[in-house]
Structures are given as C-alpha cells and as structure tokens.
Amino acid sequence: MQAGLAGFALGFSLILAIGAQNAFVLRQGLRREHVLAVVLVCAFSDAVLVAAGVSGFGALAELVPGLERVMRYGGAAFLLIYGARSFWAAWRGGAVLEAGHGAGSLRRAVLTCLALTWLNPHVYLDTVVLLGTISAQYEDRLAFGIGAVCASFVFFFALGYGARLLAPVFRRPGSWRVLDAGVGAVMWAIAANLLTG
C-alpha cells in the first residue's frame, strides 16, 4: 500500500505541470471533442511507459548515451513546430473558434495526441527513467507502478472532463487567443529548455 501511494503521488506530481500533452487534453475538453478517446490515449500511453520504466527499461537511457540526445533534439523540433502552430492560431483567432465547433476528426485528434505523447522527451524522462529509477527503491515495484498508472488515469480524466467547467470563459474569442498564445509560449519554453539543458 505504501509503494502504491508513493507511486500515485509521484506520478500525479510529474504530470501536473502544463505541457504539450496536457494543453491538448485541456483544449479537447473545452471543445468537447473526442474527450474520451484523447484521455484514454494519454492514460494508456502513460501506463505503457510506466510499465517499461518499472520493469527496468529506464536503464537503457543510461546505457545508450546517444539515445537521450536524439530524443532531446527531435522533441525540441516537434515542440517548436507545434508552438508555432499555436501562435499562428492565436494570431488568426477565428479559425480556432470554428474548429471548436467540430471541425477536427477523431483520427486527427488521436494522432495529435499520440505525437504529443510519444515524441515528447520529457514523457520518457519522467515515466521511464525517473519513475523506473525510483520504483527500484521499493520492494513492491508492481504496486508502485500501479499507483503511478492510476494517477495518470485520474489526472487525464479530471483534466479532460473538468475542462467543461471553464467552457463559459472560452465562449469569448479573446480567451481562445490567450490560450493558444499561452500554449505556444509553453511549447517554446520547453523546447528552449531541451536545447539548452
């Protein structure tokens, strides 16, 4: 039980920070578009990564030094492009609101979510490396991993479906522009951190 609670607390704290994936889930929740599919993709992806980390895959990053560099620069390039798209959407304004009325397909939402999840180096560092390393400190690594996976499911469902409470705020076009600009700034900040860290 102690290992499970520790896994839940650490897993929850790691995914709490707003990043590309969380911003996308928030946007889908605000739009009420494909929310179930998006939160399930995020939660199950985290479950796979946590399982890989807890089962010892985290050591691979230490054994293959070039892997971390490839993940870092590839992720930074992806975040720069995604951030630029967010800034463009903020500048245009109206197109974002039209897309909020159902223009996005399920396929596009799922593929975007998969890209934001699996192409983000921070996801690997947090779930595979960090959680995998810390789980080794517990005798019951399985309970630790289950706790971390439960944290992902709780967080993503709360974010995706809780975003509806913010819907009245985002009925104003200016709010969407601020959100898009904020998402772009976060993406570029994370990319800069990856490139300089």
Side-chain angles (χ1 to χ4, degrees), residues 16-179:
L16 191 58
I18 288 292
Q21 184 188 50
N22 294 352
F24 182 73
V25 174
L26 176 63
R27 169 180 295 285
Q28 293 302 114
L30 289 168
R31 290 176 170 176
R32 300 183 185 192
E33 275 187 350
H34 316 300
V35 179
L36 180 61
V38 166
V39 298
L40 285 175
V41 166
C42 291
F44 278 113
S45 294
D46 265 15
V48 169
L49 291 165
V50 168
V54 170
S55 64
F57 185 71
L60 181 62
E62 296 174 8
L63 295 174
V64 184
L67 180 63
E68 190 272 334
R69 189 175 310 138
V70 169
M71 288 170 43
R72 176 188 305 251
Y73 292 121
F78 177 78
L79 291 170
L80 287 170
I81 293 167
Y82 190 83
R85 290 182 59 199
S86 293
F87 282 125
W88 177 251
W91 184 70
R92 290 188 55 194
V96 173
L97 291 175
E98 289 170 13
H101 294 298
S105 68
L106 174 62
R107 180 178 182 271
R108 182 174 179 183
V110 168
L111 289 176
T112 301
C113 189
L114 286 169
L116 289 172
T117 302
W118 291 92
L119 297 179
N120 183 356
H122 280 292
V123 171
Y124 295 95
L125 295 174
D126 288 349
T127 56
V128 178
V129 178
L130 188 58
L131 284 172
T133 302
I134 293 175
S135 71
Q137 300 173 5
Y138 292 89
E139 189 174 321
D140 193 350
R141 295 176 77 174
L142 178 61
F144 183 92
I146 290 172
V149 168
C150 287
S152 293
F153 275 86
V154 169
F155 176 80
F156 287 118
F157 272 85
L159 181 63
Y161 287 102
R164 294 178 181 200
L165 300 174
L166 298 173
V169 174
F170 286 93
R171 286 196 183 115
R172 297 188 299 267
S175 298
W176 282 101
R177 288 185 166 200
V178 169
L179 178 65

